[in-house]
Amino acid sequence: MSHTIEKNAQAMENALAEMAPIMAAAGDEGDAKRLLELLSKLDNGQLTVAFCGHFSAGKSTLVNRLCGTELLPSSPIPTSANVVSIRNGEAKATIGKLVDGKEEIREVPIQDVNEYCKDGETVISVSLSYPIPRLGGHTVLLDTPGIDSTDDAHRMATESALHLADVVFYVMDYNHVQSEINFTFAKQLKEWGKPLYLIVNQIDKHRESELSFEAYRQSVDEAFGNWHLEPSGIVYLSLREPNHPHSEWASLMALFESLAELRGPLAVCSVDASARYVIRMHGKAMEAATEDERERLLAQAGGEAEAERVREEIFSLEERLRLGEAEVNGLRTRLRLDVQALLDNANITPAATRDLAQTFLESRKPGFKAGLLFAGAKTAAEQERRLQAFYHDFHALVQAGIEWHLLDLLRKAADGIGWRGESLERELSPFVNGLWDADLLVSHVNAGASFGNAYTMTYCREVAEAVKGLYRKRALAWIDALGDRAAAAGEAAAAPLRARLGELAAQAGALAALAALA
């Protein structure tokens, strides 16, 4: 197999090995066993070809012709399973019989198969081997019961054969190709997703004087097309008259050879199709096994229509609670980010304000004097004048660039949770009164610095960061208080929603159990 096919096969092996114990744990031993059979099939690298059809369609005769000997008797081997596998090898028959509830394998002469299978109810498998060069070590043939059998065991045996088949050949009698049972069975085969080849046998019954063979062939194509069936191919045969002009035995042999060459990718596709089918069957089995419990839970939920209404109401209530909690949890984060962005973007020391700051700083240089007479008093007055000029300009910029925007941001946030009026303004008053004064400007002067333009820039940056830090700290404390109010308001709003969920608890439990079953 190519690298891609090997990779796909390995992935499939891992999946099958993982799923089988899950099915077994769910009590579905049968489907678990089928997955393990598929796992084993991936390893053996053989092409498995199943033959299906009516008892009278010549299926066994065709298989014998492929084997080059009368290997299968004209009448079916009388077993409960009734599927016969055929391999290339030494001439012998291997029979699996139930003895005291356990399978016992016996090898018998191939000509004595019918004799050993008289007690058909205890025979569960029949495998024939015979020197058949055409099969080599790579191809296994499966002869299945006639599809017109009324025996449930035969139906199950056919399904078992299809389960492991890589390719299915469906054999039909020339006169009954367009019977409804053929179309129905072909549609069932299509569900497996396996390559399906149709064999129209006994075409020696055709009468050219009544209908041209090409017209007959076209009618067959149209009939299957009307049933939306597109087989991988249709082969026409006459085993009674091998030299019949329309018999396509050579084409069938060429097809067998090409299928054998493609056995690697065919096996991967076949196992994938069978695994999907088994999984669907497992799902149906689990549904059937839990049907009573589902009905009980559905009744507890109030019936189908009421259950759907309750689902929608519960979803709506839970969504409203979730959105409410998300809004409360996000309020603090959102406001903190908004405050940070506002402070980062606030330019509160433009060039004109830096000029006033430099004038103020010059008055703080060691040795600064104003006037000759009464120098001490004049110097202090000049320092105070310069400080106030800088302070009032800077304060106005802080109000316009920070304070007013912060107050607007916080008022809107509070209004969003229904908090407004006098109590809100009392909480916001620290942003207006007493947060900082001119002393902050004096306290940040570094008397030992080298006064000049460079220091003025550093000083303005430090003062702006100090003021912004004060507003940030005050805003974060206020945001926490707002968050607490929002949480309390949210809990009050959530209370009736939680109460309603409590009223729906029994139905919600039934719905949750139904979801778990699904």
Side-chain angles (χ1 to χ4, degrees):
M1 289 189 291
S2 70
H3 176 70
T4 301
I5 295 172
E6 289 177 355
K7 186 177 179 181
N8 290 343
Q10 185 59 55
M12 201 171 297
E13 285 182 5
N14 295 338
L16 293 172
E18 183 179 345
M19 287 188 290
I22 294 174
M23 288 186 178
D28 189 357
E29 294 285 351
D31 283 328
K33 180 182 177 182
R34 290 183 183 92
L35 288 189
L36 293 177
E37 289 173 345
L38 293 174
L39 186 59
S40 176
K41 174 178 172 59
L42 277 177
D43 292 332
N44 66 35
Q46 292 181 320
L47 174 72
T48 303
V49 181
F51 288 85
C52 303
H54 295 276
F55 282 120
S56 60
K59 175 170 53 67
S60 296
T61 305
L62 171 59
V63 173
N64 284 337
R65 176 78 182 276
L66 286 168
C67 295
T69 184
E70 295 296 315
L71 200 58
L72 295 175
S74 57
S75 59
I77 297 174
T79 72
S80 59
N82 217 25
V83 169
V84 180
S85 63
I86 302 171
R87 291 172 171 80
N88 177 44
E90 61 176 294
K92 64 179 180 180
T94 304
I95 299 172
K97 297 194 72 169
L98 279 179
V99 178
D100 297 328
K102 295 182 180 180
E103 183 178 3
E104 187 177 287
I105 304 297
R106 300 177 183 178
E107 287 189 7
V108 302
I110 200 164
Q111 65 272 18
D112 297 337
V113 170
N114 274 28
E115 184 66 26
Y116 277 87
C117 293
K118 281 183 177 179
D119 183 14
E121 293 301 314
T122 64
V123 177
I124 57 176
S125 66
V126 177
S127 177
L128 306 181
S129 67
Y130 194 83
I132 310 171
R134 180 176 288 127
L135 301 185
H138 50 68
T139 301
V140 178
L141 306 183
L142 298 180
D143 181 41
T144 69
I147 64 165
D148 41 1
S149 172
T150 57
D151 192 329
D152 285 342
H154 289 179
R155 178 186 55 78
M156 294 175 64
T158 299
E159 287 193 1
S160 176
L162 296 175
H163 168 65
L164 295 175
D166 299 311
V167 181
V168 179
F169 282 89
Y170 184 60
V171 186
M172 301 174 290
D173 181 336
Y174 170 89
N175 285 328
H176 301 102
V177 171
Q178 298 188 34
S179 63
E180 186 169 338
I181 189 172
N182 285 340
F183 296 129
T184 303
F185 190 72
K187 284 190 76 72
Q188 291 175 353
L189 290 175
K190 186 178 179 182
E191 291 182 11
W192 288 81
K194 307 289 183 83
L196 170 63
Y197 291 89
L198 304 177
I199 293 182
V200 180
N201 193 20
Q202 303 173 9
I203 60 169
D204 46 274
K205 296 177 181 179
H206 177 73
R207 297 293 176 264
E208 191 73 18
S209 60
E210 299 175 2
L211 178 72
S212 72
F213 193 80
E214 284 306 314
Y216 172 78
R217 187 193 295 267
Q218 184 176 349
S219 71
V220 173
D221 291 340
E222 290 177 353
F224 280 92
N226 291 336
W227 279 72
H228 305 291
L229 293 167
E230 296 179 2
S232 299
I234 303 178
V235 179
Y236 293 84
L237 295 178
S238 173
L239 300 176
R240 182 177 298 175
E241 298 179 17
N243 296 322
H244 191 283
H246 297 296
S247 184
E248 298 174 330
W249 181 260
S251 298
L252 180 62
M253 293 303 94
L255 176 59
F256 255 81
E257 290 180 7
S258 64
L259 291 174
E261 291 175 0
L262 293 171
R263 60 186 179 278
L266 277 174
V268 173
C269 293
S270 169
V271 169
D272 177 75
S274 285
R276 293 176 187 275
Y277 185 83
V278 170
I279 291 168
R280 290 198 298 272
M281 294 304 101
H282 172 71
K284 291 180 179 179
M286 292 301 96
E287 283 185 8
T290 58
E291 185 61 28
D292 290 344
E293 178 66 5
R294 288 180 68 256
E295 291 296 329
R296 185 188 69 78
L297 290 171
L298 197 57
Q300 186 177 341
E304 195 71 57
E306 177 64 9
E308 185 59 31
R309 188 198 66 76
V310 171
R311 280 193 193 94
E312 292 177 358
E313 183 177 1
I314 289 174
F315 176 80
S316 175
L317 292 169
E318 290 177 343
E319 184 68 6
R320 289 166 63 186
L321 286 172
R322 186 189 66 78
L323 291 175
E325 291 173 0
E327 178 65 24
V328 170
N329 294 334
L331 179 64
R332 287 184 173 90
T333 300
R334 187 177 70 253
L335 285 176
R336 286 168 182 162
L337 291 173
D338 288 346
V339 167
Q340 187 61 49
L342 188 154
L343 295 175
D344 288 343
N345 293 326
N347 181 13
I348 53 177
T349 54
T353 304
R354 291 197 300 273
D355 291 341
L356 291 174
Q358 184 162 345
T359 302
F360 160 67
L361 289 173
E362 288 173 352
S363 72
R364 298 291 162 159
K365 287 182 181 179
F368 173 78
K369 291 183 180 179
L372 298 175
L373 297 174
F374 311 107
K378 289 183 177 179
T379 296
E382 181 61 16
Q383 287 177 325
E384 181 64 19
R385 186 190 68 77
R386 293 186 182 189
L387 169 62
Q388 291 301 319
F390 174 40
Y391 167 72
H392 286 297
D393 180 81
F394 183 54
H395 187 269
L397 287 169
V398 170
Q399 278 188 319
I402 296 178
E403 195 170 280
W404 295 340
H405 293 296
L406 264 182
L407 288 172
D408 182 62
L409 175 67
L410 299 176
R411 282 192 181 100
K412 287 179 178 177
D415 186 70
I417 64 168
W419 185 18
R420 55 184 73 90
E422 292 183 5
S423 65
L424 172 63
E425 295 306 320
R426 282 196 301 272
E427 291 286 341
L428 288 174
S429 63
F431 285 104
V432 183
N433 301 312
L435 185 59
W436 66 282
D437 55 23
D439 290 342
L440 179 143
L441 303 180
V442 176
S443 67
H444 277 76
V445 176
N446 182 0
S450 178
F451 288 83
N453 289 337
Y455 176 66
T456 299
M457 293 293 291
T458 300
Y459 170 79
C460 286
R461 184 173 61 253
E462 290 175 350
V463 167
E465 289 175 354
V467 170
K468 288 180 179 181
L470 292 172
Y471 279 99
R472 181 183 296 107
K473 183 177 180 180
R474 188 62 61 84
L476 293 180
W478 195 88
I479 287 170
D480 284 339
L482 181 64
D484 292 341
R485 279 180 173 263
E491 193 55 41
L497 303 181
R498 298 188 196 281
R500 178 56 182 159
L501 282 174
E503 294 172 3
L504 298 173
Q507 290 166 291
L511 292 175
L514 278 171
L517 282 180

